[in-house]
Amino acid sequence: MKDILILAYQISPTKGSEYSVAWNYVIRMSKYNRLTVIYGVSGEHLGDCGEMEEYLKRNYFPNVKFICVSPNRKTNMLNWCNRHNFFNYTFYLAYRSWQKQVYYKVKNLMENNHFDLIHFVGPIGYREPGYLWKLGIPYLWGPIGGSNKTNVILQKHTSLLAQFKFRLRNVINEIQLRKNKRLKLALENTDLLLTATTENQKKIERILHKKSSYLPENAIAADISLNIEKFNTDKYHFVIIGSLIERKAIHILLESLILIKHKDLLIIDIIGDGPTRSLLEGFSRKQNIDHIIRWHGHLSRTEAIKIFNSAHLHIITSLSEGNPTTIWEAMGHGVPTMSFDHCGMHDTICERCGIKIPILSYEQCVSDLAKNIDYLLEHPEKFEQLAYGVLECAKKYTWDDRELFLLKCYDQAIENFKNRIV
């Protein structure tokens, strides 16, 4: 067994996204290693660790030690605006300050503890490399992402403020990728780098000359199954899940629904909540498509899985993503995904398990969504064909295979470290 120090800023046994990335990693890899897990949040904001602390009082993990690094006064001050939903970008200053706290915490831990390896698991964004790479022991970072641009074509009907933010992010992203000195130092001292998408892999190698191994940030954690009874129906259930924010671009799907000829065959389940919900609901009423949409708001993971179990198609319309956790939930239940052909979806979805729509123009994207949905509704046997294709493709993305891959990564990182310091 190796003694591994894990840095996972967000972690939770009940939440999705980055929280589940870290949680699944800890549960799976603790079967083979002794893990010391440094984290900073299990709730909404930095320092909100109550959920994990309560969970750990009721549950014991024999090979895992969890350590919450609470924000100090400086970090809390820097995060005040973000916590109160005012000028949220100050979070990055707070997060950098917290990373410094983590560095000194781990440095103290190393005085009385031996670690074979440090693994910076999450969050997956490359922009804040932290400081643990300075500690002089084998260092594994990733999977990381975030170097991709937010697609300009798909931004067309977002608000002017959102378009400004997206385009500003694209500019700043390029500057950070090319000019961040600490990022370059961190990569130089990273013994093995993992990248979450092939787009990120190619871009980091091209710009920063750092080779990496491709590995999506999450995988299918549960048993793969398929509810075949759902195919005996005269209604077809589509599911969209995620925060209702402009980056998720749910409005593109709603615009495509206007064009669909077979609306009477559809039920659209939208799981999630957020600031754009009232606008989206208003648009659907105005366009007379609200009768085929069910707005669920936030649901527990158990309730969401019930909807996945009866779904015929999962849809992603995001402007930018890594690999959404919902892809793995969908695959785990034999549900094909329809998405635009970019980000992590470009790597994960193929013609056997889903439908990828090229991005040529905004109008073409809306039209192609509608045409593909109508085609499926006119040829319902395709739902079942795709579902069985998902079952085959899903075998490539199980946590069982991922465990073996990561164990090899540990050995490789340690070997690379030995060669680096010679």
Side-chain angles (χ1 to χ4, degrees):
M1 271 196 168
K2 293 182 175 66
D3 290 287
I4 302 178
L5 186 129
I6 305 301
L7 175 54
Y9 167 66
Q10 296 164 298
I11 188 168
S12 167
T14 62
K15 295 180 175 64
S17 192
E18 297 273 11
Y19 297 89
S20 69
V21 169
W23 180 255
N24 289 337
Y25 172 88
V26 168
I27 295 302
R28 290 291 186 144
M29 301 314 295
S30 63
K31 294 189 295 184
Y32 311 96
N33 307 278
R34 288 179 291 269
L35 307 181
T36 299
V37 182
I38 304 291
Y39 72 102
V41 60
S42 62
E44 186 175 355
H45 290 290
L46 178 58
D48 296 344
C49 297
E51 182 196 28
M52 272 300 299
E53 291 168 346
E54 287 300 314
Y55 186 85
L56 294 174
K57 289 177 184 177
R58 303 187 302 271
N59 299 273
Y60 173 67
F61 299 92
N63 292 325
V64 189
K65 180 180 180 181
F66 291 91
I67 300 174
C68 175
V69 175
S70 298
N72 60 21
R73 185 178 180 184
K74 177 186 176 182
T75 304
N76 272 327
M77 287 177 63
L78 290 170
N79 198 41
W80 188 91
C81 290
N82 173 60
R83 182 178 278 273
H84 291 83
N85 202 30
F86 171 73
F87 200 63
N88 303 95
Y89 294 110
T90 57
F91 164 77
Y92 295 103
L93 298 174
Y95 180 54
R96 181 174 181 177
S97 177
W98 181 80
Q99 287 280 6
K100 289 181 180 178
Q101 289 185 242
V102 168
Y103 171 74
Y104 290 113
K105 177 68 176 179
V106 173
K107 202 171 182 182
N108 288 334
L109 284 174
M110 288 175 62
E111 292 178 4
N112 298 303
N113 297 272
H114 167 76
F115 297 111
D116 296 297
L117 176 79
I118 292 174
H119 186 178
F120 186 174
V121 172
I124 72 165
Y126 77 89
R127 294 177 188 82
E128 179 47 68
Y131 301 89
L132 299 187
W133 49 270
K134 299 171 70 174
L135 291 172
I137 61 176
Y139 188 74
L140 172 62
W141 186 13
I144 66 170
S147 68
N148 57 296
K149 292 184 177 181
T150 305
N151 193 284
V152 174
I153 290 173
L154 298 177
Q155 295 176 26
K156 184 172 182 180
H157 285 178
T158 56
S159 67
L160 291 177
L161 178 60
Q163 289 183 42
F164 171 76
K165 288 180 177 179
F166 292 142
R167 296 182 189 210
L168 179 63
R169 175 197 175 277
N170 286 348
V171 172
I172 293 174
N173 204 21
E174 286 297 306
I175 295 171
Q176 288 177 318
L177 196 61
R178 296 171 187 275
K179 303 297 183 181
N180 188 329
K181 292 181 180 179
R182 191 156 51 90
L183 171 63
K184 292 178 181 179
L185 284 171
L187 290 174
E188 287 173 8
N189 289 276
T190 295
D191 297 296
L192 186 63
L193 180 68
L194 303 174
T195 37
T197 68
T198 56
E199 181 182 4
N200 280 278
Q201 182 184 43
K202 292 171 184 175
K203 194 167 187 179
I204 288 172
E205 183 172 353
R206 176 170 55 83
I207 295 174
L208 296 170
H209 313 296
K210 181 71 175 182
K211 291 185 180 295
S212 63
S213 296
Y214 160 65
L215 181 71
E217 63 268 34
N218 215 337
I220 301 167
D223 293 335
I224 299 168
S225 62
L226 175 62
N227 171 22
I228 60 173
E229 293 180 3
K230 68 186 178 184
F231 299 114
N232 298 317
T233 183
D234 57 358
K235 293 278 188 179
Y236 296 92
H237 293 249
F238 293 1
V239 61
I240 299 92
I241 185 167
S243 300
L244 300 186
I245 54 177
E246 296 208 69
R247 181 176 61 82
K248 295 293 185 178
I250 307 297
H251 64 276
I252 300 179
L253 172 64
L254 299 187
E255 289 181 46
S256 74
L257 293 179
I258 299 169
L259 306 178
I260 289 170
K261 294 179 285 187
H262 304 289
K263 297 182 183 66
D264 56 313
L265 302 178
L266 273 180
I267 296 173
I268 310 291
D269 288 301
I270 298 180
I271 303 170
D273 215 333
T276 65
R277 178 172 176 173
S278 60
L279 289 173
L280 295 170
E281 288 182 334
F283 179 86
S284 66
R285 286 192 296 270
K286 184 178 179 182
Q287 299 297 331
N288 197 30
I289 54 174
D290 57 310
H291 62 288
I292 63 172
I293 301 174
R294 300 192 296 201
W295 303 87
H296 294 272
H298 288 300
L299 293 180
S300 69
R301 185 173 181 275
T302 303
E303 292 172 310
I305 284 173
K306 288 180 182 177
I307 292 177
F308 265 120
N309 203 38
S310 63
H312 298 87
L313 187 69
H314 169 230
I315 298 180
I316 299 172
T317 53
S318 300
L319 309 182
S320 179
E321 288 284 0
N323 291 278
T325 304
T326 54
I327 283 188
W328 316 122
E329 293 287 5
M331 279 193 155
H333 290 85
V335 180
T337 295
M338 182 184 292
S339 168
F340 298 123
D341 187 10
H342 66 159
C343 304
M345 295 79 78
H346 170 80
D347 302 318
T348 309
I349 302 168
C350 70
E351 65 279 359
R352 288 188 298 157
C353 65
I355 297 169
K356 291 189 290 190
I357 294 171
I359 304 171
L360 305 176
S361 73
Y362 185 87
E363 291 73 19
Q364 163 264 324
C365 287
V366 173
S367 175
D368 280 3
L369 267 176
K371 287 176 182 176
N372 277 282
I373 291 172
D374 265 330
Y375 176 81
L376 290 173
L377 296 174
E378 290 166 0
H379 302 85
E381 69 279 3
K382 287 292 294 182
F383 288 114
E384 192 166 355
Q385 291 173 17
L386 286 169
Y388 280 102
V390 172
L391 297 184
E392 288 301 310
C393 291
K395 295 175 183 177
K396 298 184 294 183
Y397 300 105
T398 65
W399 253 105
D400 291 341
D401 284 350
R402 189 182 182 86
E403 289 171 8
L404 300 176
F405 182 85
L406 285 169
L407 289 172
K408 291 178 183 177
C409 287
Y410 297 158
D411 291 335
Q412 187 63 57
I414 291 170
E415 184 64 26
N416 291 348
F417 172 80
K418 291 176 181 176
N419 294 333
R420 179 164 63 88
I421 63 172
V422 169

